[in-house]
């Protein structure tokens, strides 16, 4: 399924652009003259929620409000409204309620990483020692090799390196 075909969970119309919230990412779209004047012809910006490390939010009041998304490894602007108007990860708005809901939606999904199966050791130290003893008893390992192998297991359990 292409990005254009994905279902929009929430659409927030801001000043000079819009914020589209999808299941796994958000899209900032620039529109109108103000969007072009402040951000040029950059088009849309797609950001996976897992890449967002912080959300800065300033409520609209006397001046416009803004929502700004900080990404890992980027420098966030902290100089207020004027710098926010030029930041490509920021959208200005006038409707506090809509964008407060958007902030909550994003924060609920931030940092969620896909589950990656982990390899887990299924053999216990006792099982390993038993295998070493069997190899020793069958004459495959010498007593010295057995002691070295069991010593390695002891160190692995206690976290001590050889």
């Amino acid at each position: 399924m292409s990005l254009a075909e994905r279902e929009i969970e929430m659409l927030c119309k801001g000043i000079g652009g819009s914020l589209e919230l999808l299941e796994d990412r958000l899209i900032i779209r620039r529109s109108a003259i103000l969007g072009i004047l402040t951000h040029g012809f950059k088009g849309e910006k797609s950001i996976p929620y897992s890449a967002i490390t912080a959300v800065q939010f300033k409520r609209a009041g006397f001046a416009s409000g803004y929502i700004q998304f900080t990404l890992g490894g980027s420098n966030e602007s902290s100089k207020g409204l004027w710098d926010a108007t030029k930041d490509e990860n920021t959208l200005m708005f006038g409707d506090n309620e809509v964008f407060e809901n958007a902030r909550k939606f994003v924060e609920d999904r931030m940092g969620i990483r896909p589950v990656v199966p982990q390899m887990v050791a299924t053999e216990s130290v006792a099982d390993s020692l038993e295998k070493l003893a069997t190899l020793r008893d069958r004459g495959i390992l010498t007593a010295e090799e057995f002691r070295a192998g069991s010593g390695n297991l002891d160190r692995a359990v206690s976290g001590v390196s050889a």
Side-chain angles (χ1 to χ4, degrees):
M1 177 182 299
S2 74
L3 194 57
E5 295 171 338
R6 293 186 184 182
E7 185 175 329
I8 297 172
E9 303 276 338
M10 188 181 299
L11 175 62
C12 308
K13 297 200 183 271
I15 299 169
S18 63
L19 180 64
E20 296 176 7
L21 303 176
L22 286 72
E23 179 182 329
D24 62 338
R25 67 187 55 244
L26 63 83
I27 299 172
I28 299 173
R29 291 190 193 277
R30 301 295 172 195
S31 61
I33 303 265
L34 182 60
I36 293 169
L37 288 175
T38 57
H39 295 90
F41 292 98
K42 292 182 181 174
E44 69 182 45
K45 179 151 188 189
S46 177
I47 306 171
Y49 298 123
S50 60
I52 300 171
T53 58
V55 177
Q56 186 176 352
F57 185 86
K58 184 206 171 287
R59 291 177 57 83
F62 178 70
S64 298
Y66 65 88
I67 188 166
Q68 180 181 51
F69 305 101
T70 303
L71 309 180
S74 68
N75 294 324
E76 89 180 45
S77 170
S78 58
K79 295 182 182 172
L81 182 61
W82 180 248
D83 277 355
T85 63
K86 297 180 270 181
D87 187 308
E88 68 180 351
N89 299 327
T90 303
L91 187 63
M92 312 292 290
F93 63 83
D95 188 335
N96 286 321
E97 184 178 348
V98 167
F99 279 85
E100 283 174 351
N101 289 336
R103 174 179 65 174
K104 181 174 178 355
F105 186 93
V106 171
E107 287 175 341
D108 287 348
R109 287 156 181 79
M110 279 174 46
I112 297 174
R113 306 284 192 269
V115 176
V116 178
Q118 300 286 326
M119 294 299 293
V120 178
T122 57
E123 185 173 79
S124 71
V125 173
D127 291 338
S128 296
L129 280 172
E130 186 176 332
K131 285 181 182 179
L132 285 173
T134 301
L135 292 171
R136 179 199 60 202
D137 295 346
R138 291 176 54 200
I140 297 171
L141 291 180
T142 65
E144 186 177 313
E145 291 170 326
F146 173 78
R147 280 192 298 277
S150 61
N152 287 340
L153 289 172
D154 288 340
R155 282 189 292 280
V157 170
S158 63
V160 177
S161 61

